[in-house]
Amino acid sequence: MADSDRTPDGIIGSGPVIVGVDGSTNAQRALAVAAEVARRFDLDLAVFHAIGLMTVIEGRHVPSEGHRDDLERLLRVEWCAALAGDRELRWRAELVYGSPADVLMKMGTGLDASFVVVGSRGVGDELALGSTSHHVVHHCDRPVVVVPPADRAA
């Protein structure tokens, strides 16, 4: 790591970068940003998918119970595919029961995360963050990076 990548006086912790994924395009953008932050600061990356009562698999809403193996395959093989060949990055991926916001905050605190990265799906001015990112930004005890959709105007 170059000296220019280090922060003064340990402002950035040594805990992992936390990110949530769900198969959406914006979750993939958030994963790419989280991986870059982890690489840049030589941190581990912890990728989580929140399991609720229902989940979307191949475009269909199905009960999460009974589909854990499918979700595990999606998480590791599809949603984290971009990380598979990256030899510069230390990462892991896990399924965790709970709402997306609660999982990100619980894992962020529990792992003493340096950053929590969340994608934003909100539309329009009043919902610019989306419900998950809005909740995480306002309630998380870790630094939060919000990744907007690619089509959002700068």
Side-chain angles (χ1 to χ4, degrees), residues 103-117:
V103 166
L104 289 172
M105 291 186 306
K106 179 176 85 174
M107 300 313 294
T109 299
L111 296 174
D112 193 24
S114 295
F115 295 98
V116 172
V117 178

Side-chain angles (χ1 to χ4, degrees), residues 69-151:
D69 290 344
D70 294 328
L71 288 169
E72 191 79 39
R73 179 190 56 77
L74 286 168
L75 175 63
R76 295 184 189 289
V77 176
E78 291 185 27
W79 301 339
C80 292
L83 307 177
D86 191 332
R87 299 189 189 279
E88 295 179 29
L89 188 64
R90 298 174 310 274
W91 65 278
R92 66 183 178 135
E94 292 181 38
L95 299 172
V96 179
Y97 285 93
S99 73
D102 288 343
V103 166
L104 289 172
M105 291 186 306
K106 179 176 85 174
M107 300 313 294
T109 299
L111 296 174
D112 193 24
S114 295
F115 295 98
V116 172
V117 178
V118 60
S120 172
R121 290 191 190 168
V123 294
D125 292 336
E126 294 181 14
L127 294 174
L129 288 179
S131 61
T132 298
S133 53
H134 183 269
H135 191 82
V136 172
V137 163
H138 289 284
H139 300 286
C140 191
D141 65 352
R142 307 279 124 187
V144 178
V145 176
V146 178
V147 179
D151 61 354

Side-chain angles (χ1 to χ4, degrees), residues 24-61:
S24 68
T25 301
N26 207 50
Q28 290 305 116
R29 286 175 46 82
L31 178 62
V33 168
E36 181 58 29
V37 169
R39 269 188 232 97
R40 175 73 48 113
F41 295 108
D42 194 29
L43 300 170
D44 292 349
L45 176 64
V47 183
F48 297 101
H49 175 70
I51 302 176
L53 294 175
M54 299 292 287
T55 193
V56 177
I57 297 178
E58 296 176 2
R60 295 178 303 133
H61 286 276

